[in-house]
Amino acid sequence: MSSLKKTLLKKGYHRIPLKFSKSQHLVVKAKINGIEGRFILDTGASNSCVSLEAVAFFSMETRDSKTKATGAGSSNMDTLLSKDNAIAINTWQVSQWELIVFDLSHVNDALPVFETKKVQGILGADLLSEGAAVIDYAKKWLYLKG
């Protein structure tokens, strides 16, 4: 029987290393507009997002949004919208991607309790769906197609 790795690589998937933080979050490095950051991989987040604090760091342009964000520990948060962003995760990439921007301090304030570094954002189901994601939890690999 063929391994998951061989099967997915034959089908055009990119293999991306994952790390488990001490808080048990899946963490991945990704580049937005060519600048590398640290992101939580969250299959339960409907949209990928970036912290308000990281907008200038990633050279993002934003505009007002009527969308409200909700998440663990917070709800009804104001958001901004950023369009036309290039995202690269290892060798996988997508251009002209829309990202939600909002205050992620509630996430980052909790991470030091677990001796975990802060993140610049969250990669959600929108991006995972775009890449037909397969997550190998046992071997700590993310596979994205395209």
Side-chain angles (χ1 to χ4, degrees):
M1 180 169 19
S2 184
S3 73
L4 178 64
K5 174 185 169 184
K6 287 180 185 177
T7 300
L8 292 175
L9 291 177
K10 282 181 186 176
K11 292 184 176 188
Y13 278 80
H14 297 257
R15 187 173 183 236
I16 300 154
L18 293 172
K19 290 187 178 184
F20 279 97
S21 68
K22 289 183 181 181
S23 60
Q24 292 304 303
H25 289 100
L26 286 172
V27 178
V28 64
K29 290 182 180 179
K31 289 182 181 179
I32 296 181
N33 303 326
I35 301 159
E36 187 173 87
R38 194 170 188 291
F39 295 82
I40 291 174
L41 187 69
D42 187 348
T43 61
S46 55
N47 295 94
S48 297
C49 58
V50 170
S51 171
L52 275 169
E53 294 176 352
V55 168
F57 177 73
F58 290 123
S59 299
M60 297 169 64
E61 293 184 22
T62 62
R63 66 180 195 204
D64 290 338
S65 170
K66 293 181 182 178
T67 302
K68 297 288 184 181
T70 61
S74 294
S75 62
N76 207 30
M77 295 177 285
D78 291 329
T79 66
L80 297 171
L81 185 62
S82 180
K83 292 188 172 194
D84 301 324
N85 295 287
I87 299 178
I89 307 170
N90 202 350
T91 57
W92 183 85
Q93 56 189 349
V94 63
S95 61
Q96 299 184 355
W97 198 258
E98 189 174 287
L99 292 160
I100 304 297
V101 177
F102 69 103
D103 183 4
L104 286 176
S105 61
H106 66 287
V107 172
N108 279 318
D109 288 349
L111 293 176
V113 172
F114 299 99
E115 298 175 12
T116 299
K117 294 178 189 174
K118 291 184 177 188
V119 296
Q120 284 80 37
I122 296 170
L123 302 179
D126 57 343
L127 202 68
L128 297 173
S129 180
E130 176 74 16
V134 175
I135 301 172
D136 183 342
Y137 283 91
K139 295 187 179 173
K140 300 177 188 165
W141 290 102
L142 168 65
Y143 294 89
L144 294 171
K145 188 171 185 167

